[in-house]
Amino acid sequence: MQETTPDSETWKKMVLSGMPTPAWLEGDAPISEIVISSRQRYARNLREFPFPHHASEHELTTILQLVKDAVEDAELDLATYENLTHAERDFMLGSRLVSPEFRCNDPGRALLLDRGKTVSIMVNEEDHLRLQALTPGWSIVTAQAAGDRVLSQLASRLQFMHSDQLGYLTASPSNLGHARRRSALFHLIGLAHTKRLMNVLKALSAWGLTARGLFGESSRAVGAFFQVSTTEQRMPEFVGAGEYLIEEEQKARMEVRRSELQDKAEQARDYAIGSTEISLADAMRVFAWVRWASSAGLPDFAFSHREVDRWISTLDVQGTQDQRIASRHRAVFVRERLEQR
């Protein structure tokens, strides 16, 4: 008999109906079997205010109000999310709309999200504004255009810290200058399985790109899901590096026999269905194999790999209760989705 608690029921209801599905899970997603989403992110800070980690509660709430006023004055259609429940925050984290470090329920913090669910702004995370545009598949040019539109509207109404010598000033010195990060979330399971991943990642590093886990700087790349990003490269160089990575992953997948992929995916599915508890890392590994099998069109996995992306986005990421109960809820969630298919 499956474990059901009020908290897990709240979680299911919220996932199914209460929260906005992010835009990167909807619509056309170019090369989505390899690139799950593309993101352009900007950091900005308001003049005459300390960075969030040095600001008082009054200063943080003042910054938030100034941002809200600018959004209203620009007639930007951004909804404000404050005082999220644990489950709602976990959903936002799984949907990649907030960072793991964002203390969204502290004073002066809020998430602003546009109606199209493409552009989001974390207010008073590490910087006063962390604005990002997140789009489906390999679409970094589209992400940049969406982010730039909102940022230009805010820049005409807010005074950002800027130095003629250093560029935009940020809480972390590594973000100084353009205060911009381009990234795309890749699924590099073919390269990982054929033992060629490390050489490819070394080549990317030599080009000035960084590879991190699904949830950013402090996370591991479990299931061969990698955020590949840069703060320095111009758009043409980033696009070229991404296309190289896509080509290498396509080659690697073609080297793997369908029967071998079938066996690996079945083993992962059977392990998950038979588990009463499952860690986040193991759930990601299961979904990684199922996703590849689905995108390869294997008959036993005849559903869209984009559906697997939705499952990943609604996994119980940080756990709404203690770790053991969270792992049981996660096991139920994974089992139900795989058994339905």
Side-chain angles (χ1 to χ4, degrees):
M1 186 171 178
Q2 294 177 354
E3 180 184 66
T4 303
T5 69
D7 190 71
S8 64
E9 286 302 318
T10 299
W11 170 262
K12 290 177 183 177
K13 290 176 183 177
M14 180 274 297
V15 166
L16 292 174
S17 61
M19 299 298 289
T21 302
W24 59 270
L25 283 171
E26 299 179 341
D28 182 42
I31 319 179
S32 60
E33 69 278 10
I34 294 173
V35 188
I36 297 173
S37 60
S38 302
R39 180 169 66 186
Q40 183 92 348
R41 175 179 280 184
Y42 297 94
R44 293 292 186 269
N45 290 282
L46 305 189
R47 289 182 184 174
E48 301 185 7
F49 287 94
F51 294 126
H53 58 284
H54 284 307
S56 66
E57 183 175 319
H58 174 71
E59 288 168 327
L60 292 169
T61 55
T62 300
I63 292 164
L64 175 57
Q65 190 58 54
L66 288 171
V67 173
K68 288 181 177 179
D69 291 344
V71 166
E72 183 177 358
D73 185 58
E75 298 182 351
L76 295 171
D77 192 6
L78 297 171
T80 301
Y81 292 86
E82 299 178 78
N83 300 316
L84 299 175
T85 67
H86 289 298
E88 288 169 341
R89 186 190 181 283
D90 219 40
F91 177 81
M92 292 293 193
L93 178 57
S95 298
R96 303 178 62 228
L97 298 174
V98 300
S99 65
E101 297 78 22
F102 187 41
R103 298 161 60 183
C104 55
N105 289 333
D106 283 1
R109 270 78 174 186
L111 173 71
L112 308 181
L113 181 62
D114 74 335
R115 188 177 295 276
K117 297 154 293 196
T118 295
V119 176
S120 62
I121 304 172
M122 288 182 287
V123 181
N124 289 321
E125 191 229 31
E126 182 178 76
D127 295 287
H128 297 153
L129 282 83
R130 280 291 180 96
L131 185 154
Q132 71 171 23
L134 195 57
T135 52
W138 181 230
S139 56
I140 188 62
V141 174
T142 304
Q144 176 175 282
D148 284 351
R149 281 195 297 271
V150 174
L151 183 62
S152 64
Q153 292 287 323
L154 295 178
S156 65
R157 292 165 172 83
L158 297 169
Q159 295 186 332
F160 294 139
M161 294 186 196
H162 187 272
S163 162
D164 292 338
Q165 291 76 34
L166 300 174
Y168 289 104
L169 305 183
T170 56
S172 172
S174 63
N175 292 326
L176 282 173
H178 296 298
R180 172 193 67 209
R181 181 177 290 275
R182 292 190 178 98
S183 66
L185 179 58
F186 287 82
H187 190 202
L188 303 179
I189 191 168
L191 286 167
H193 184 60
T194 57
K195 312 298 184 185
R196 293 167 49 199
L197 180 59
M198 292 310 300
N199 288 337
V200 170
L201 293 182
K202 286 179 182 177
L204 291 178
S205 179
W207 294 342
L209 277 80
T210 302
R212 304 186 290 183
L214 182 63
F215 300 110
E217 200 165 349
S218 61
S219 62
R220 295 164 50 223
V222 177
F225 294 100
F226 286 87
Q227 283 191 65
V228 176
S229 65
T230 181
T231 58
E232 299 296 333
Q233 284 190 333
R234 297 182 302 117
M235 181 64 81
E237 283 78 13
F238 184 74
V239 169
E243 290 176 348
Y244 158 78
L245 196 50
I246 290 167
E247 183 178 350
E248 291 300 310
E249 176 64 17
Q250 288 171 335
K251 289 177 183 176
R253 293 190 184 195
M254 290 176 64
E255 294 174 7
V256 179
R257 298 188 308 275
R258 289 175 69 85
S259 60
E260 182 180 359
L261 174 55
Q262 177 84 24
D263 289 344
K264 291 287 187 180
E266 286 180 351
Q267 290 170 13
R269 179 190 60 194
D270 294 345
Y271 162 76
I273 289 175
S275 297
T276 57
E277 297 182 13
I278 191 166
S279 67
L280 176 62
D282 283 343
M284 292 297 296
R285 293 185 184 101
V286 168
F287 282 161
W289 284 106
V290 170
R291 188 180 192 278
W292 184 7
S294 172
S295 66
L298 295 185
D300 288 351
F301 300 88
F303 47 87
S304 172
H305 58 278
R306 298 273 287 159
E307 187 170 358
V308 182
D309 294 339
R310 290 184 179 87
W311 299 346
I312 293 172
S313 75
T314 50
L315 271 174
D316 197 351
V317 178
Q318 292 191 328
T320 55
Q321 302 184 56
D322 69 50
Q323 287 300 309
R324 186 158 190 185
I325 294 175
S327 69
R328 290 173 183 168
H329 291 169
R330 197 179 294 116
V332 171
F333 177 89
V334 174
R335 185 188 318 121
E336 285 179 347
R337 274 135 192 86
L338 294 176
E339 285 182 336
Q340 287 169 5
R341 301 300 177 272

